[in-house]
Amino acid sequence: MRRLRAVTLCFVAAASVAAGEPVTLVAWAPGFPGTTEQAQPSMDEFAAGVARAAGWNADDFRAIYHPEVDAGRATVSGEATVAIVPLAVFFEYGEALKLRPMLRVIQEGGSEETWSLVARKGALTSPADLAGWSLQGHPGFSPRFVRRALAGWGELPDDVEIRFNARVLSVLRKAAQGEPVAALLDRAQAEALGRLPFADDLEVVAVSEPTISSLVCAVDERLSERHERALVEALQELDGSANGDELLATIRVVRFELLGKDGLAGVQRLWSDAAD
């Protein structure tokens, strides 16, 4: 039955795409490694695999990667049909760009993300100690998200500078040297912290509650219902399919999952809080 449904969806989707409605997926991950140009061969390979799974022609579906804040936002705003975004991006730009979650991303190493506040050992004992400091990291483009992520530790002072910085290694080096800077690291970065030659001079001061890592979102009303059904089905079925795991590995993803009622409700609450 599932195979018959997939075949039916593929037939319908192919007809829809042929009518002149190509799908553009933008993987927008501010601060992540690589450049748009370097990632394009992998994105092309992934797009071709998704198109095959959905029953589309290869040139009816394309994928682009953006690790920059402004360029990524411009591309999602201008031409994206679908966007894969970290939770911080959804928190900051989800309402303005009319992003509607469809799937959650299960990444290599775990399904959830945590954020670790790292500073020179003994330098921070409470949020108040961050007064006048600079707090930097990948999600720094959204000070509201950073404050929310660290809310379990306490309320951050008004005069802490929160800013985006993809070069967290340089931030950590400055912190180890005693400068008034701290870094906000994602799970993978925090796991690598102990391998730094100056790791003994640093400490993890606070860790956020686990959150959804990334989301696959429809952008505005650009994705037709038929495309959405076919795309969601195709992305889910990559896991465990012939060559599917290899395709997912090209973008460092294990699988795509439906959010479910609880997960979707959590994202909706987050969006609502962000708008307040």
Side-chain angles (χ1 to χ4, degrees):
M1 178 63 71
R2 185 179 183 184
R3 181 176 179 81
L4 177 60
R5 181 181 61 179
V7 170
T8 302
L9 287 174
C10 288
F11 175 79
V12 173
S16 178
V17 173
E21 302 175 10
V23 176
T24 298
L25 180 148
V26 177
W28 179 21
F32 279 55
T35 66
T36 299
E37 292 74 19
Q38 291 168 342
Q40 199 55 55
S42 294
M43 298 305 292
D44 288 342
E45 183 179 354
F46 173 71
V50 173
R52 285 195 299 271
W56 298 337
N57 295 323
D59 57 356
D60 287 325
F61 180 76
R62 65 185 186 123
I64 307 167
Y65 167 73
H66 273 296
E68 305 91 359
V69 176
D70 293 339
R73 182 179 183 181
T75 302
V76 170
S77 176
E79 61 185 283
T81 315
V82 180
I84 300 179
V85 297
L87 191 60
V89 168
F90 180 82
F91 186 97
E92 185 68 15
Y93 301 111
E95 185 174 21
L97 296 176
K98 299 181 180 179
L99 302 182
R100 177 173 54 81
M102 299 186 297
L103 298 165
R104 65 183 297 179
V105 180
I106 308 300
Q107 294 182 319
E108 294 177 348
S111 61
E112 296 183 314
E113 187 65 272
T114 56
W115 295 96
S116 298
L117 175 66
V118 179
R120 182 173 176 80
K121 188 172 293 184
L124 299 177
T125 59
S126 72
D129 294 333
L130 276 171
W133 279 45
S134 181
L135 175 53
Q136 304 175 26
H138 289 179
F141 57 84
S142 177
R144 293 181 302 159
F145 178 85
V146 172
R147 289 179 180 276
R148 183 182 179 89
L150 295 176
W153 183 47
E155 185 176 352
L156 303 187
D158 292 338
D159 62 347
V160 61
E161 178 197 42
I162 300 174
R163 67 184 182 90
F164 171 75
N165 192 340
R167 302 178 61 184
V168 293
L169 182 59
S170 65
V171 180
L172 292 170
R173 186 176 290 109
K174 291 177 181 179
Q177 293 170 351
E179 295 188 34
V181 297
L184 193 63
L185 307 184
D186 62 24
R187 175 178 43 79
Q189 292 169 336
E191 290 173 353
L193 190 62
R195 297 197 292 269
L196 297 178
F198 45 86
D200 290 343
D201 297 320
L202 300 168
E203 67 175 339
V204 176
V205 180
V207 180
S208 73
E209 292 293 322
T211 65
I212 290 174
S213 172
S214 300
L215 296 164
V216 181
C217 300
V219 181
D220 203 349
E221 300 298 329
R222 301 171 186 172
L223 187 65
S224 70
E225 291 185 10
R226 288 182 292 181
H227 279 174
E228 180 172 337
R229 290 195 300 269
L231 181 60
V232 167
E233 182 89 8
L235 290 175
Q236 288 183 273
E237 291 191 349
L238 286 179
D239 177 37
S241 66
N243 300 321
D245 291 338
E246 293 180 11
L247 284 174
L248 291 170
T250 63
I251 58 170
R252 300 181 181 179
V253 168
V254 175
R255 64 185 180 276
F256 296 96
E257 289 184 352
L258 290 173
L259 277 169
K261 291 183 179 179
D262 292 341
L264 181 57
V267 171
Q268 289 172 334
R269 283 195 301 272
L270 179 68
W271 192 343
S272 176
D273 291 346
D276 291 342

